[in-house]
Structures are given as C-alpha cells and as structure tokens.
Amino acid sequence: MAIQIFISCASEEFRELREKLRRHLAAARCHVLTQEDFPQEPTGLLEKLDSYIRDCDVIIHIIGACSGSIADPTAVLRYLRLNEAFLTATPALRSLLGDFSTLSYTHWEGFMALHHQRRIQLYYLEGSQPQHLQRMKLALPQRHGSRFVDDTDLFGQLIGDLRDLIPPLPATQVNNLPATIGDYFRGREGTLQELHLRLGGTSRRMPLAIHGLGGIGKTRLSIEYGHRYASAYSTRILVTADTPQNLERQLAALTAPTALDLPAHHSSEETIRTAAVLRWLREHEGCS
C-alpha cells in the first residue's frame, strides 16, 4: 500500500517547491496530496482536509513568511460543531488559539495533524511566522522542527527524515571510472599500497584528500587505485568538483539508470536528483 503524504504550505510562497516535492515523492511511489487537490469550496474544505489528513502517514508542514488564506468563518463554526473534541488533548494549545478565527487553511492543516496525532515533519524558514511556529512546537515537544535555508537544504533533510518510510535502495555494483591505462601506470606501486592502507584496507572506509600541484597525476592515481582494488569496493564513483556547479551537476547525473539508477532520475529538477544521490551516499556510507 502506498504511503500517504500531505504537503501543507502556503501556495503563494511555496508552490514551486511543493510541486518539486510532490514529483520526488511520487517517484518514490508515495501518494501525495495538497490543499489545492480538493474542491475549493469554503463551506466544505475544512472537512475534506480533515478527512484526508486523519488517514495520512505523514504531514509535511512548511512554515514560511506567508500564512495563506484565512479560513471561511462559517466553515470554521461548522467544523467545530462537528468536531467538539478538536485539540482537547492539548488544552494549552487550544486555549492559545481562542475562537480559531485568525487561522489560515495552512494553519488548520498543521493543527488537524496534531489533533489526529499524525506524524508531522515540520520545517521552517528562519524568522517566519514565529507565533504559529511556537504554537506548533508547544504540541511537539519531542520534535521542534527543522530550519532550512533553501530548496536543496529542505530536500536533503526531508529525504533523511523519511528514510524509515521510503526504504533505502540496496547497494549496487557501480563504477563510472575512466578506463585504466594498465602497464603504462608505473613507478607508483608504493603510493597505491599506502593509499589502500590509509583508506582502511577492506574495513571501515576513511576519508582521504590527495593534494599537490596541477598535472602531477592526482586524478590518474585515484583512477588506478579504484581499478587496482576494485574487489574491496562495491561502488566506485568519480565526480569533478572544480566548481560547486560542476559538483552538483555530476552528483545529479549519478541518478541515471547507468549509474545508481535512482527513482529521482525521472525528475527534471537538478536539486531533486542531487538530494537523492546525497541520501544514497549517507545510507551507504563506507561503501564507495
């Protein structure tokens, strides 16, 4: 059965980000809905949102500068009549909300998730809606939310936070190294052995930086090491990191079927593909 996820955020601020998230999660075979997937009829929207959120596995609640449209007063009164026990399990929070007349639909989505005790992944931009953030934190003492600075940051956090629901892909035999030059690579046997020793042999991998003047053979040494000790590694990846842009582009390319073959390779968004590769690397730390 597909994991059900609801993305809660203000459309005027996060529409593009929300759609990127939807595409990424759908590629991971999740069923994803947002407020705009429901008929925008004020008198029945709160009940429809409540009905879906109640059965969701996860609600992703994103807090930014915009709060969204204030809920229709008539709809609020109708909803509260139908749900007299709303937030009674968190009396301090209910008291703070007063008559609920100032809440936006996005606010309601977060509080409905709290009311139904659904799992909430809370993310916020620094300084955004401090009152709403404080109210959410009041009912989430064990999960104070995570601050994010941009789309890539949010994707990276989210992929890690949902790793228990979206299973990691198994390690595969991956190799994108250029071809070896074989016997033409001479006189560096001792250096190759030293690299293998410093990298931890066949036990736990340790990071290592090779530095020196341009043109002395650092890249070729790395390539030949990868070929020489191929049996000690399940994954051998080479990326160019001369600029941040090249690094991100080459990481994103690793989602391709000819490399890691990640579901995110269907996405046209480079940030989504990069985040998917970073997730894979975290989950397979030490294999490459």
Side-chain angles (χ1 to χ4, degrees), residues 35-49 70-76 78 105:
Q35 181 191 130
E36 293 186 356
D37 291 315
F38 297 89
Q40 301 299 298
E41 302 169 356
T43 55
L45 182 55
L46 286 178
E47 286 100 306
K48 290 183 175 67
L49 289 171
I70 300 299
D72 178 76
T74 303
V76 170
R78 171 184 166 84
Y105 285 106

Side-chain angles (χ1 to χ4, degrees), residues 183-255:
D183 292 339
Y184 291 102
F185 187 77
R186 299 175 179 174
R188 308 189 74 174
E189 185 66 34
T191 305
L192 289 174
Q193 292 175 1
E194 182 181 358
L195 276 177
H196 195 48
L197 179 64
R198 289 180 177 273
L199 285 167
T202 56
S203 60
R204 184 177 182 272
R205 310 299 180 212
M206 299 296 292
L208 180 67
I210 303 173
H211 64 90
L213 296 174
I216 65 172
K218 300 183 297 296
T219 301
R220 176 48 59 182
L221 176 64
S222 301
I223 293 168
E224 295 303 323
Y225 173 84
H227 286 292
R228 176 69 60 87
Y229 294 100
S231 62
Y233 298 86
S234 63
T235 306
R236 293 169 290 152
I237 293 171
L238 178 70
V239 295
T240 301
D242 54 337
T243 67
Q245 294 78 16
N246 277 345
L247 177 59
E248 182 164 345
R249 182 165 57 251
Q250 294 207 15
L251 286 172
L254 292 173
T255 60

Side-chain angles (χ1 to χ4, degrees), residues 79-203:
Y79 176 81
L80 292 174
R81 282 198 302 269
L82 294 173
N83 299 273
E84 294 181 356
F86 185 69
L87 291 180
T88 53
T90 52
L93 175 60
R94 174 150 184 154
S95 177
L96 281 176
L97 296 177
D99 62 1
F100 300 90
S101 62
T102 62
L103 300 185
S104 70
Y105 285 106
T106 304
H107 291 160
W108 274 100
E109 290 160 3
F111 295 133
M112 286 173 179
L114 290 172
H115 173 64
H116 292 297
Q117 299 181 343
R118 298 291 84 195
R119 173 172 169 177
I120 301 175
Q121 299 294 152
L122 176 65
Y123 305 94
Y124 63 92
L125 289 171
E126 186 67 42
S128 297
Q129 298 190 70
Q131 185 181 43
H132 178 54
L133 179 60
Q134 191 59 40
R135 290 168 174 172
M136 291 296 294
K137 286 182 176 182
L138 180 66
L140 292 169
Q142 305 303 319
R143 174 68 179 173
H144 282 183
S146 301
R147 182 174 64 89
F148 70 99
V149 295
D150 56 27
D151 291 10
T152 301
D153 183 26
L154 177 59
F155 276 112
Q157 292 190 51
L158 186 65
I159 288 169
D161 291 340
L162 296 181
R163 61 185 179 275
D164 60 317
L165 292 179
I166 303 175
L169 294 170
T172 55
Q173 294 290 332
V174 176
N175 172 28
N176 76 340
L177 296 181
T180 177
I181 59 174
D183 292 339
Y184 291 102
F185 187 77
R186 299 175 179 174
R188 308 189 74 174
E189 185 66 34
T191 305
L192 289 174
Q193 292 175 1
E194 182 181 358
L195 276 177
H196 195 48
L197 179 64
R198 289 180 177 273
L199 285 167
T202 56
S203 60

